[in-house]
Every structure is written in C-alpha cells, then in structure tokens.
C-alpha cells in the first residue's frame, strides 16, 4: 500500500481476533458440562468429547448459523438425552453467570488508538445474536458502529452480503475498508470483493496467498499507510484491494 493512502474503516471478525473464549473453548460454552450434569448426573464425563464433535458438525454443515437449540439438541442426543426438558434447554441458552469472552491483551489499546485516529469500525461475525451484549459487558461495544451477525443475516461468511452489510454500516466503499479475520479463506474472499484484507495469525502457520500479521498492534501503522503487513507470504498487492465494479450482492 503506498504511503499516505489511508484505510478509513475496519471490519473485524470477533472470535480469535478481538476476543477469545473463557476457559479456552469456543463451543460449547465453558459451563455446558456443569449444566447438563446437574440435570442428568448419570451421563459419563467420557461421553462429552463425542457430543462436542456432533455439535460442531451441525455448525459446520449449515450455510446459515444453526440455532442454539438445534446445536444443543445434537449434542444432547449423543449423550443419550433424546428429549431434553424445557428447563435444561432454557438453562443452556440463558446468559452465563459471568463473561464467556476474554479480551486479548492488546485489544483495548489498539481499539483506543484506532478510535483516536478516526478509524470507523464494525464487527462482522459468524455468530449467534447477542454478541453486542458480550461486548458491552467487556466495555468495548462503544468502539463499533454496528454488528453484522450471521444468525440475523441468514447467511455466513464468505457470503458477500456479510461483508457488504459491514461496509454499508460504516457508509464506506469496500476499497476504503480493511477486513481482519483469523481465517485466510475469508480474508481472500473479502479481497476478491474489493476490500483490503489481512489475516491475524496469533501463532498459526502463515497462509500461502494472503497478507498476514500476528498481533492487532500491527494495524495502526497499516491503516495509516505507513507500511504493509510484515512477514507476509502472499502477494502484498492483495492488501490494497482491487479496482473493480461491484454487483448488488457485494
């Protein structure tokens, strides 16, 4: 990216980029075993990993975000609970006793810097409705002008509608926005739609074809046009986005 050419907005993925899961596990929530065993103490602890795998297959199989109820029912069937009680489902879907997300160490510092520089920000996440409440609990909701949530959108990334809704929330053209995700394929899709893009690695192996950084601290100099992402293995030109016409779905 040439010096002096600025990014005006950032579309952030959520999990793995801004926040991580309390307890070190995304799905199911950290208190799943405790809740289930309180209702069904006969279930063997050794059965939970197989149930988790079944739940993940439900999440991976859909082009839209599966409902929490369908996700929980899939795991409970593997655990031998074919007809879960309304009370059990209600407790699994109720807000947790405490935060389920944790900020990465640099998240708040970088968001402060970007906000002070006038960079507009939105979250584009494959997630269930209610992410805003978790961000409010962590005191970072105020940094974002909007949230694009797959369950509410009825589609998931890389559907062009997810990206387009994010840039529309900011009132910016795709080429003015940087998309940040921890999935190289989703960043590549954004670049193909005319967005600038960068993968946040956090220790993962570098991707083969898209620009990458290993910390959010790299973003302020990138959006200011001071330097391209460092340590990349793909084509640095991809970070700048493409000049192309955009259809109605992009």
């Amino acid at each position: 990216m040439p010096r002096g050419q600025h990014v005006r907005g950032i579309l952030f993925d959520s999990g793995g980029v801004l926040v991580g899961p309390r307890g070190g596990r995304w799905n199911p929530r950290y208190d799943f075993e405790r809740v289930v065993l309180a209702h069904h103490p006969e279930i063997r602890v050794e059965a939970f990993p197989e149930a988790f795998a079944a739940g993940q297959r439900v999440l991976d199989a859909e082009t839209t975000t599966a409902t929490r109820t369908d996700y929980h029912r899939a795991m409970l069937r593997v655990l031998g609970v074919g007809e879960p009680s309304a009370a059990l489902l209600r407790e699994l879907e109720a807000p947790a006793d405490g935060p389920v997300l944790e900020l990465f160490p640099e998240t708040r510092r970088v968001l402060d810097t970007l906000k002070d520089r006038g960079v507009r920000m939105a979250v584009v996440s494959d997630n269930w409705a209610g992410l805003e409440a978790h961000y409010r609990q962590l005191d970072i909701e105020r940094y974002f002008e909007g949230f694009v949530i797959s369950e509410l959108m009825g589609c998931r990334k890389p559907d062009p509608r997810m990206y387009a809704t994010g840039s529309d929330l900011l009132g910016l053209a795709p080429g003015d926005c940087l998309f940040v995700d921890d999935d190289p394929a989703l960043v590549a899709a954004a670049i193909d739609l005319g967005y600038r893009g960068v993968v946040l690695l956090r220790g993962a192996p570098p991707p083969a074809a898209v620009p990458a950084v290993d910390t959010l601290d790299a973003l302020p100099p990138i959006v200011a046009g001071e330097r391209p992402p460092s340590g990349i293995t793909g084509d640095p030109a991809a970070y700048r986005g493409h000049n192309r016409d955009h259809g109605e779905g992009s």
Side-chain angles (χ1 to χ4, degrees):
M1 180 179 194
R3 290 181 182 273
Q5 186 177 349
H6 294 251
V7 169
R8 298 175 61 194
I10 299 182
L11 306 180
F12 284 103
D13 178 40
S14 178
V17 173
L18 298 168
V19 297
R22 177 182 170 188
R25 182 182 73 201
W26 282 113
N27 294 306
R29 200 170 69 187
Y30 70 90
D31 59 350
F32 180 83
E33 294 96 323
R34 177 184 62 77
V35 172
V36 171
L37 290 172
H39 289 260
H40 293 277
E42 75 281 3
I43 293 175
R44 296 179 298 105
V45 173
E46 294 81 4
F48 281 100
E50 184 179 352
F52 297 165
Q56 191 61 47
R57 287 194 293 272
V58 169
L59 297 179
D60 293 342
E62 301 291 335
T63 56
T64 59
T65 297
T67 67
R68 283 187 174 93
T69 300
D70 288 345
Y71 171 63
H72 288 140
R73 282 184 178 275
M75 289 186 290
L76 291 170
R77 281 195 296 271
V78 173
L79 295 173
V81 185
E83 294 295 334
S85 67
L88 171 56
L89 291 173
R90 186 167 54 248
E91 191 170 351
L92 287 173
E93 297 179 19
D97 294 336
V100 298
L101 302 176
E102 299 175 336
L103 296 178
F104 289 111
E106 79 277 19
T107 296
R108 193 183 307 279
R109 176 178 69 251
V110 172
L111 292 177
D112 278 330
T113 299
L114 294 171
K115 185 176 179 64
D116 289 345
R117 295 186 181 186
V119 178
R120 304 176 67 181
M121 294 176 278
V123 173
V124 179
S125 176
D126 290 338
N127 217 313
W128 287 302
L131 183 63
E132 298 96 321
H134 294 299
Y135 275 46
R136 193 177 309 121
Q137 192 174 34
L138 294 169
D139 192 31
I140 61 170
E141 182 195 27
R142 57 194 170 87
Y143 293 102
F144 304 101
E145 296 186 34
F147 290 75
V148 183
I149 305 299
S150 60
E151 184 181 31
L152 300 178
M153 290 288 294
C155 60
R156 291 166 53 183
K157 296 174 289 187
D159 190 300
R161 291 172 290 178
M162 293 289 291
Y163 305 97
T165 302
S167 52
D168 287 349
L169 277 172
L170 301 181
L172 297 173
D176 291 327
C177 297
L178 176 68
F179 177 71
V180 184
D181 202 297
D182 60 341
D183 186 331
L186 299 182
V187 172
I191 291 170
D192 284 343
L193 291 168
Y195 295 83
R196 307 173 192 187
V198 64
V199 178
L200 181 59
L201 296 175
R202 293 199 182 280
V210 291
V213 297
D214 58 8
T215 174
L216 290 172
D217 284 316
L219 296 184
I222 289 173
V223 301
E226 297 170 3
R227 65 177 179 84
S230 60
I232 65 174
T233 57
D235 179 6
Y239 163 68
R240 297 195 288 271
H242 300 299
N243 293 320
R244 62 170 66 181
D245 294 330
H246 302 284
E248 292 180 354
S250 64

